[in-house]
Amino acid sequence: MSKIKIEEGRLVVPNNPTIPFIEGDGVGVEITAATQKVINKAVDNAYKGSRKIEWLEVLAGEKSFNATQSWLPNETLDAFKEYLVGIKGPLTTPVGGGIRSLNVALRQELDLYVCLRPVRWFRGVESPIKEPQKVDMHIFRENTEDIYAGIEWYAGTPEAKKFMDILANQMGVTKVRFPETSSFGVKPVSEEGSKRLIKAAIEYAIENKLPKLTIVHKGNIMKFTEGGFKNWGYELAETEFADSTFTRNQYEAIKSAEGVDAANATLSRAKSEGKVYVDDCIADAFLQNTLLTPESYSVIATLNLNGDYISDQLAAMVGGIGIAPGANINYMSGHAIFEATHGTAPDIAGENCVNPCSLLLSATMMLEYMGWKEAANSITVALERMFERGRATHDLARFIDGSTTLTTSQFADEVVELL
């Protein structure tokens, strides 16, 4: 089995890499089969048989529990660590205290600190907004901190009472309105965690020649956590990326010292030189702006919870989460897991009607990450041709005039034919 490696910060991908995959629960069985069929064909076509993915199934979720009595076996984590790049279908998270989300567990165990969610519109797909073609954004969501760290205590427990005692008696906190019935959660946001996420976003913008990075936060309320995220982002841009960025802080400083015309002239010059403009936006204002002027944004850097809301809203603007891909990446170690962004959908599992495009587009991102862009581009083109012709699964076809509803397997077969 050939392994993807990382050398001097760059992935080294053999012609026949082993890719671990988790089939997933519910509809995962159907979308994984469809995705692998399309990916195999695209790779074979693009490279005339000289490249091929060797798929290695590993277990997690309900399928794993039924087979091994473990929701996330150590062997699965070891495989993702060893082979660097993998992909997964949706997983059932068991109900009950003490068992965290399997998706969050994978991200934290492998330190996959970037959740990358590109959002774009495909011609032919119906959208609830008037001009979906203006939506073309790349969300970098911090993946390991914020409230997703899972530091919580339930109301009335000894831990909650102890925490309240520390707040009241050692730190002088008087703002807990109902201390006896309050649950508590801790929101860690570090300088290191913030900067490595924003660094990845800036480098992505530079590499892909994207004009703007917006730091989205709620720093007007959470001044030291989300406000710190914003401040550390500006600091990073103005020091480590001084030659390739121009920030709103710098713009405002020039405006204050020399006037608005000088600031605008400097901004215009920075843009003409290909520099990335770095600004920030309060999260609630940003959500409104994405509906009013989506063309104003390209790359977004934000915290974990904000990113959860933002990426799902943007997906809805271009047709729904069924065509929303996602990746969890550690750009320093090279580890990455690409995933369907939707759930297991048990109500339609086994009915051969689920849209496979979320996982398929995530697999396309995986090919791009591996440097196999020719194969990735061919899939994107084929999908757009499908939608333009009104060929789609039920979730999309019902909104497209004159469309033909396809089953999951039929959709995959037609994409393969187009390839």
Side-chain angles (χ1 to χ4, degrees), residues 50-331:
S50 64
R51 292 178 178 177
K52 181 181 180 181
I53 291 174
E54 300 290 343
W55 300 103
L56 172 66
E57 183 173 9
V58 294
L59 298 177
E62 188 172 18
K63 182 177 181 179
S64 173
F65 185 78
N66 291 338
T68 70
Q69 298 301 298
S70 171
W71 292 95
L72 183 59
N74 290 332
E75 292 82 359
T76 295
L77 288 171
D78 291 342
F80 283 127
K81 290 175 182 177
E82 182 177 0
Y83 294 103
L84 290 191
V85 176
I87 191 166
K88 58 174 282 297
L91 293 176
T92 298
T93 292
V95 177
I99 303 178
R100 57 183 169 165
S101 162
L102 298 177
N103 295 321
V104 172
L106 283 166
R107 294 166 192 166
Q108 293 182 343
E109 290 293 334
L110 296 168
D111 196 25
L112 305 175
Y113 61 88
V114 170
C115 178
L116 175 56
R117 293 279 297 272
V119 181
R120 55 152 291 187
W121 178 67
F122 287 88
R123 288 191 301 273
V125 175
E126 287 296 315
S127 163
I129 65 173
K130 185 177 179 180
E131 296 180 292
Q133 73 277 7
K134 292 183 177 180
V135 180
D136 189 3
M137 300 184 215
H138 309 258
I139 302 100
F140 278 71
R141 168 189 173 191
E142 203 290 319
N143 225 3
T144 63
E145 298 191 312
D146 201 355
I147 62 170
Y148 284 75
I151 307 170
E152 290 189 290
W153 301 282
Y154 191 68
T157 62
E159 293 81 6
K161 292 178 180 178
K162 183 177 181 180
F163 187 72
M164 184 63 230
D165 180 68
I166 292 171
L167 290 178
N169 297 322
Q170 298 184 34
M171 304 186 72
V173 172
T174 60
K175 296 180 180 179
V176 180
R177 189 175 297 274
F178 304 108
E180 297 301 320
T181 58
S182 290
S183 295
F184 297 97
V186 175
K187 177 188 177 78
V189 177
S190 68
E191 179 178 358
E192 180 182 8
S194 299
K195 284 187 172 180
R196 67 178 184 173
L197 181 281
I198 297 168
K199 180 177 186 289
I202 293 174
E203 289 176 340
Y204 184 90
I206 294 169
E207 180 180 351
N208 291 280
K209 296 181 170 53
L210 297 169
K212 184 180 177 184
L213 169 73
T214 303
I215 301 169
V216 178
H217 61 94
K218 195 64 178 169
N220 57 328
I221 303 299
M222 291 168 276
K223 299 182 184 300
F224 303 132
T225 52
E226 304 223 359
F229 181 83
K230 177 197 74 171
N231 294 336
W232 292 321
Y234 276 127
E235 179 184 310
L236 176 76
E238 292 166 5
T239 53
E240 188 169 338
F241 294 95
D243 294 335
S244 50
T245 66
F246 181 69
T247 73
R248 189 166 77 177
N249 280 354
Q250 293 169 322
Y251 175 89
E252 293 296 338
I254 296 171
K255 179 180 174 181
S256 178
E258 305 176 37
V260 66
D261 289 342
N264 286 338
T266 305
L267 175 59
S268 178
R269 184 166 61 252
K271 289 180 177 179
S272 69
E273 294 170 352
K275 291 187 175 182
V276 176
Y277 181 55
V278 179
D279 70 352
D280 72 279
C281 189
I282 301 297
D284 47 326
F286 173 80
L287 289 170
Q288 176 181 225
N289 293 346
T290 57
L291 291 169
L292 299 174
T293 58
E295 70 275 12
S296 301
Y297 301 102
S298 51
V299 181
I300 312 303
T302 192
L303 294 108
N304 211 331
L305 182 60
N306 293 335
D308 200 354
Y309 299 147
I310 288 167
S311 54
D312 280 8
Q313 178 191 291
L314 293 177
M317 290 166 61
V318 296
I321 202 167
I323 53 172
N328 303 284
I329 304 171
N330 183 320
Y331 284 99

